[in-house]
Amino acid sequence: MYDVIIIGVGPAGISAGIYAVSRGQKTLILEKNQVGGLIRRVSAVTHYAAIVEGETGESFAKCLRKQAENAGVEILKTEVKKVELTGVEKRIYTEKECYCAKKVILANGTSPRKLGIPGEIELAGRGIGMNAAKDAMKYRGKHVYVIGGADGAVKEALYLAGVAEKVTIIHFEETLGCIAQFQEKAAHTPNIELRLHARLHAVYGVEKVESLEILDEKTGAIEIIEDSGCGIFVYAGTVPNTELYNEISLDNGFLPTDENMQTEIPGVYAVGDIRVKQVRQVSTAVADGTIAAIHAAR
């Protein structure tokens, strides 16, 4: 039995855990993956107050874990299989145990969106769907393709441009959707090429990507590019991890909350990217976790 159980160990979950423990709450965080969530996958953490120069997603995640452990937050690596949230006592089921608490904070974020194109599943990890921070050096001097035009996609494209011979950004809109800072940097990086109003249509190969198809959104024409051994890094948005929460009414898959981060179920809070919100950044996730934990502890 705990005072507060948190599901998810990204920045929002860690922040919630630290604040809950500081207010005397017996707190448990459950997570099937490593500390950090999606932030662990990025090449560089930017625009966050007081980060050190050269901060990577990996180093940031290590700091999150160390701070949580030093604060006395209990983190258990396990997968949540089922939840019962409507009662006064909330029940969280894993494969082997049932954990109970009066307050639960849902912080298990989002997962990368799949493209749903031919070859994506068959070649996953063998040329498509890799982590730029982890896999960039495999493509030193080669061609890489970045799918997406938002902040995360262009930031990773800039990182990859320092390793690869050429980086092609494929984006379905007329202009990149990233902030001005990243747009300017991309425009002045000589080995970055933009393929706008275009989509990745298919990839082909056996042990590696041998060729890919690019669809022109304006004309409908499909171009086949032979590029053996290239790398394709997909940043096509994310989908919320809310499949377990059928007791809560969803809004386009996300969890609605009030200003205290509480959902429609008393004692159940949602924080970070999993909840309905306008801005999804590390800073806003940390703030969500802080607010939820303080109110949960009252």
Side-chain angles (χ1 to χ4, degrees):
M1 186 72 188
Y2 289 83
D3 297 316
V4 176
I5 291 177
I6 301 164
I7 303 175
V9 75
I14 291 293
S15 175
I18 291 170
Y19 274 86
V21 167
S22 74
R23 279 150 176 78
Q25 302 298 290
K26 184 180 179 183
T27 304
L28 173 67
I29 302 182
L30 301 173
E31 170 61 64
K32 66 179 180 179
N33 298 312
Q34 293 180 303
V35 171
L38 288 182
I39 194 66
R40 192 182 191 93
R41 295 172 56 88
V42 306
S43 58
V45 179
T46 57
H47 311 127
Y48 187 78
I51 55 172
V52 299
E53 185 176 354
E55 187 84 85
T56 67
E58 184 76 19
S59 63
F60 189 79
K62 288 180 180 178
C63 290
L64 288 175
R65 183 178 189 95
K66 182 178 180 181
Q67 185 178 7
E69 290 176 342
N70 289 344
V73 179
E74 183 181 352
I75 301 174
L76 181 61
K77 189 174 182 180
T78 186
E79 183 175 2
V80 174
K81 295 291 189 178
K82 177 185 174 183
V83 298
E84 294 176 355
L85 303 175
T86 53
V88 174
E89 184 181 273
K90 321 299 181 184
R91 297 177 181 270
I92 312 297
Y93 297 88
T94 65
E95 288 185 347
K96 298 181 178 180
E97 301 289 347
C98 173
Y99 300 91
C100 301
K102 291 184 178 180
K103 304 291 178 66
V104 172
I105 300 176
L106 310 176
N108 47 317
T110 60
S111 296
R113 186 187 302 277
K114 300 295 184 183
L115 297 174
I117 61 172
E120 181 180 25
I121 296 176
E122 294 81 357
L123 289 165
R126 291 183 291 171
I128 185 171
M130 292 84 59
N131 177 346
K134 180 180 178 181
D135 299 317
M137 297 309 294
K138 298 176 184 177
Y139 298 94
R140 176 177 289 279
K142 297 183 178 181
H143 293 175
V144 301
Y145 300 82
V146 172
I147 314 304
D151 291 350
V154 180
K155 180 167 70 172
E156 298 307 307
L158 290 165
Y159 173 73
L160 289 163
V163 176
E165 178 184 2
K166 179 182 177 182
V167 177
T168 301
I169 299 176
I170 301 174
H171 185 47
F172 67 94
E173 295 184 342
E174 292 293 325
T175 59
L176 294 177
C178 61
I179 60 175
Q181 179 185 9
F182 293 160
Q183 287 194 36
E184 184 176 355
K185 285 184 177 181
H188 290 87
T189 303
N191 62 333
I192 289 182
E193 176 185 312
L194 301 184
R195 290 290 300 268
L196 300 175
H197 56 82
R199 292 183 187 271
L200 183 64
H201 188 257
V203 292
Y204 301 101
V206 180
E207 294 300 324
K208 60 183 178 181
V209 174
E210 299 286 355
S211 63
L212 58 151
E213 292 179 351
I214 299 178
L215 170 68
D216 189 303
E217 285 283 289
K218 287 185 175 180
T219 67
I222 296 176
E223 178 185 0
I224 300 175
I225 298 176
E226 301 291 338
D227 200 345
S228 181
C230 68
I232 302 172
F233 296 80
V234 179
Y235 300 95
T238 59
V239 293
N241 298 321
T242 51
E243 58 274 6
L244 290 175
Y245 308 135
N246 52 25
E247 298 167 287
I248 306 174
S249 300
L250 302 179
D251 183 350
N252 291 321
F254 294 88
L255 297 170
T257 67
D258 62 17
E259 64 181 6
N260 297 329
M261 305 300 142
Q262 188 166 233
T263 69
E264 63 185 353
I265 301 177
V268 178
Y269 301 80
V271 298
D273 290 358
I274 201 172
R275 79 177 189 93
V276 176
K277 58 193 299 186
Q278 293 293 316
V279 179
R280 291 184 169 86
Q281 297 286 333
V282 175
S283 54
T284 62
V286 168
D288 288 355
T290 301
I291 294 167
I294 289 173
H295 285 280
R298 286 179 176 173

